[in-house]
Amino acid sequence: MSHAATHTIEHAEEGLGVYTQKLGMWVFLCSEVMFFTALIGSYIILRWGSAESWPVPAETLNIPVTALNTFILICSSVSMVKAYAAAVHDDQRGLKRWLLTTVLGGATFVGVQAYEYIHLIGKGFLPSSGLFGSTFYTMTGFHGFHVTCGVISMAYCTLRAFRGKYAGGNFHGIETVGLYWHFVDLVWIILFTIVYLF
Amino acid sequence: MQHWWFPTSASSYGAELDNLFVLILYITGAVFVIVEVGLLVFLVKYRKREGRKAEYIEGNTTAEIVWTTIPAVVCVFLGLFSQPLWSRIKDPARIPADAIPLEVTAKQFEWHFGYPGPDGQQGTADDYGKRNELHVVVNQNYRVRLQAEDVIHSFFIPVFRLKQDAVPGMQIMAWFRPTRTGQFELACAELCGLGHYRMRARVFVHTPEEFAAWQASQIAPTTPAASDTTASSGRTAR
Amino acid sequence: MTTAGVAAEHLEHALHDDRPFIRKYVFSTDHKIIGIQFLFLSLFFLLVGGVLAMVIRWQLGFPGKAMPLPGAWPSTMAPDGVVLPEFYTALVTMHGTFMVFFAIMPLLVGVFANYLIPLKIGAPDMAFPRLNMWSFWLMIPAGALMVAGFFVEGGAASSGWTGYAPLSANPEYTGATYGQQLWCLSLIVFALSSLLGSVNYITTVVNLRAPGMTWFRLPLSIWALFITAILALLAVPILAGALIMLLFDVVLHTNFFLPAGGGQPLMWQHLFWFFGHPEVYILILPAMGIASDLIANGSRKPIFGYHSMVYAICGIAFLGWVVWGHHMFQSGMNPRLGTTFMVSTMFIAVPSAIKVFNWMGTMWRGNIHFTTPMLNGIAFVAMFTIGGLSGIFMAATPADMYIHDTYYIVAHIHYVLFGGSLFAIFGGIYFWFPKMFGKMMSERLGKIHFALTFVAYNLTFFPMHILGIGGHMRRIYDPSQYEFLRPLQPMNEFISLSAFALFISQLPFIWNFFHSLFWGKKADINPWHDNGLEWTAPSPPPHGNFETTPTVYHGPYEFSRPDMEQDYLPQNQPLPAPQPVAH
């Protein structure tokens, strides 16, 4: 009976023409958009919806370091694209190399963020330090959590790549994880702009 | 059964609000009768009988356009009909200019009423306060500034048909004009903790003379503590 | 019938399934088992919520009197059987929370979406069976965390099921420090479970439909569940975000909703109701879909205006996003916004009216079979109509000013969620029980259950409208505190007695359910003579559902075709060939 399962999926009524994993990821990302909308929307209401003045972010946060970190995350998105291209062209060496680069980039980002947190907490800037503290830690914290999840799933993909699971142009898994990774990257660009720069 | 209906209105807009309610009741009542009677008729008339087959009907565009349009028109009408009354009651810009200002502060689980004193101005030396007792003059406009100290409460005077939440960190304006003298009740209508059910105050609508006498007794340095105890006796009981 | 024959022939072969017990029935990835697991879990929570309601009704009907078994109640809740006010606020909070998040929503979405979607679209399983399993198993910790609230110091969360801040955001205001945290955590886990479910339902409906199952051949139950999944997908993360901020306010002392630190209490309400109003439709749309299937089947007629039914579902779902402010008319929100929300809310009456009239149109000139599922379907229409009409009073902002936060609202929500959703759920259970378990439920007990429930339900909830018009506030522990409410006390007593009767009326259902499960009459493949694909698979369907992928030839409501003897035509059988025209 279990063979029937895989059999039917291939012969289904015309869907969106997108394979199921990728469609599932898109659907999931819609939900993620709403989640971050709740957090970012609240930040916008709290910051610009009241007359009270907001602290200047640059006085508390280290913008150059985070800017560099942002650059690293963007680069990891680029390397993800490279990994996807390698998977599509069945270039196993390239796939492994670019996946590793991406994992490394993501891990670096999380590491720098952890360092930033330790530094800020040491300075006495806490989640309870006014609305700025509340929103800063909640938004960047949940983004960091998403990056961590991304790093873990990509590490898993890397492991699978080394075991040759993506051989023969089997790129679906890579593309699906890649979508998530680009999304997380995009969210960070928004967060960096409105939390650090404005 | 008089208790099966609204408590008698005692404010300037109360009757209009009741009329709106009755209007909606007529409209929805008509729909209710049409639908429920129609259902019953169908259930009897088209009940299962041997040898009979249901008619193969997939729909009827005309019928559907009719029952889409009619509710839409009725609802737009109700919206347009309700809007002026709503903005007259709640729009801060439309509070009557001659209204006497009152300061109402809610906290777990009591109401504090700040009166402007004989000069009719808040923030002057003759102001005085009263716990859990709202004293007002009949046929006089009042402007209430609602504040909350801790959690959200809701200022609800059933006979005035007035309800407005008091939100900590916000100052919300409301107004009313009592039209009937007597003693009424004020309740908290928003869950505010375990004592929510006893967050009650009394509302006294006086004639001008009565009010003047009461006000004089408040300003005179008599024993305010004594009157406060009577006011709070209702809420300490469980 | 060929299909039935083929399926029966393969039944034995199909049921031969060598998965070990734990994979088959416990950590199963089979959508049917997961649906049944959800059924047991959410019926359990329905019972829990019902028991809490009985305690609430006891206190309101007989304030301050000792409950039965006075010694059995913990002294932190009800010493000597007398409910404490702090326990009462916890009761109303947990009753609402259990019913909304752990009973009605999983009953509609967890049970019917899981069980019906793959079967009705002709798929072997969900798109992501393992995620589906996680979706169920996350509900267990979510439920456990919620129940745990009753047993921690300070008691369960007591800020209402809506958790209005700042009451919920600072433990000092309620005393339920741990209870509130557990409430937040539980609902965050619940949100995750809901997310996994929604991703599955949407992907499955889009990508796994059998050949020929075009969008406009989907049964309305599937349309409703699909649109509901989209609502849940987009609304529940908003709740999750709000809950996280609330939890941080309680635990990390952030200031999102606490005005002392610059936060905004009204922001909680905006977030909560931006989730909450789509949530209301999550709780009613699947019921509408199920009722549509039941009514077409019971009337032996095609659904009246199938396309407009679909558009009405979409219309309600869309409008659901732009009406959240109608919960906040008296909250201190700008009154001009109130006007906007009033107008958008009024428009919801339009698709709702379309649906009610189309259900009536379906029954018109039908051949109505009074089966238990059909009776529940009819009750759904009748009761949803009342719930919908009473909603118009609240949509009109000035009328809302008086009835907001009174028993009128309580009456309204129960007419929609009990009279609407729960009748459809009962109808659905009676209807699909034979498919789920291969056994018929007793029709006689089913009708007794229906009749008792219908009467007791109306006696319980209809008088609440009158209490509301009398000005009776919600969530008050002791109405006798107020002089103007004292004359209403006999009605409160009457409601309480009716509520007890309503609770007892569920006993025939419980008996029927478990008795039929073991000793019920064996069910045929298609006992209701329905057209859905699920009725072409064996009862119960084997792992993988269909021996061969079904092909779909027409819509799901081909009842009583004039060119056929039989009054139904399953979706996997071609339409009869048109009669040859004489030359």
Side-chain angles (χ1 to χ4, degrees), chain B residues 46 52-53 56 64 90 163, chain C residues 308 366 402 404 558 564:
Chain B
Y46 304 117
R52 193 176 134 264
K53 219 170 163 182
Y56 185 84
E64 293 197 40
K90 289 275 171 146
K163 188 178 286 137
Chain C
S308 54
Y402 180 68
H404 178 71
E558 293 295 331
M564 281 178 61

Side-chain angles (χ1 to χ4, degrees), chain B residues 27-227:
Chain B
I27 297 173
T28 53
V31 180
F32 170 77
V33 170
I34 292 169
V35 172
E36 306 291 348
V37 171
L39 266 178
L40 282 176
V41 169
F42 288 1
L43 293 186
V44 175
K45 204 169 164 197
Y46 304 117
R47 69 187 181 278
K48 178 186 173 186
R49 268 165 291 181
E50 290 309 320
R52 193 176 134 264
K53 219 170 163 182
E55 279 185 46
Y56 185 84
I57 304 165
E58 287 185 290
N60 181 316
T61 315
T62 321
E64 293 197 40
I65 289 172
V66 170
W67 63 53
T68 308
T69 318
I70 293 177
V73 171
V74 170
C75 287
V76 169
F77 161 74
L78 273 181
L80 292 177
F81 190 82
S82 309
Q83 199 279 331
L85 180 60
W86 170 250
S87 69
R88 194 147 56 80
I89 299 171
K90 289 275 171 146
D91 190 344
R94 298 186 56 184
I95 296 174
D98 64 345
I100 293 175
L102 294 173
E103 296 283 343
V104 177
T105 310
K107 67 174 181 190
Q108 285 181 331
F109 301 100
E110 62 183 42
W111 298 94
H112 184 268
F113 300 98
Y115 294 89
D119 66 351
Q121 303 282 324
Q122 288 284 0
T124 51
D126 63 350
D127 295 357
Y128 58 93
K130 192 86 183 132
R131 202 158 57 126
N132 287 335
E133 275 186 39
L134 174 62
H135 291 261
V136 289
V137 177
V138 70
N139 293 327
Q140 166 67 51
N141 289 319
Y142 285 91
R143 185 174 77 222
V144 175
R145 187 160 68 177
L146 271 172
Q147 284 170 286
E149 279 184 17
D150 35 38
V151 301
I152 297 176
H153 302 274
S154 191
F155 182 81
F156 179 35
I157 305 177
V159 288
F160 291 178
R161 307 287 187 267
L162 173 61
K163 188 178 286 137
Q164 176 58 58
D165 287 4
V167 183
M170 286 175 78
Q171 301 190 340
I172 301 170
M173 305 304 292
W175 76 275
F176 60 85
R177 184 168 81 239
T179 52
R180 211 151 54 79
T181 55
Q183 255 198 55
F184 308 106
E185 284 173 297
L186 184 155
C188 176
E190 185 67 71
L191 180 64
C192 58
L194 66 94
H196 166 55
Y197 71 99
R198 56 183 154 88
M199 190 163 159
R200 165 181 176 264
R202 281 187 292 171
V203 180
F204 299 84
V205 181
H206 298 289
T207 60
E209 299 74 36
E210 273 172 14
F211 183 80
W214 175 80
Q215 180 163 267
S217 75
Q218 292 304 307
I219 299 170
T222 46
T223 51
S227 58

Side-chain angles (χ1 to χ4, degrees), chain C residues 42-94:
Chain C
S42 42
L43 283 178
F44 167 73
F45 280 118
L46 187 68
L47 187 67
V48 173
V51 170
L52 299 184
M54 292 306 106
V55 183
I56 293 172
R57 276 323 316 178
W58 179 276
Q59 169 60 25
L60 288 174
F62 315 99
K65 298 223 173 71
M67 288 184 286
L69 303 173
W73 298 88
S75 60
T76 48
M77 296 176 185
D80 302 322
V82 179
V83 175
L84 290 174
E86 50 269 47
F87 182 48
Y88 183 82
T89 50
L91 280 173
V92 290
T93 305
M94 299 307 268

Side-chain angles (χ1 to χ4, degrees), chain C residues 183-207:
Chain C
W183 186 82
C184 292
L185 269 176
S186 162
L187 288 182
I188 290 168
V189 179
F190 157 85
L192 209 55
S193 155
S194 163
L195 166 67
L196 296 180
S198 303
V199 169
N200 244 322
Y201 309 143
I202 294 170
T203 315
T204 308
V205 174
V206 172
N207 258 14

Side-chain angles (χ1 to χ4, degrees), chain A residues 3 50 65 116 171 196:
Chain A
H3 303 295
S50 85
V65 170
E116 183 194 22
F171 61 88
Y196 288 80

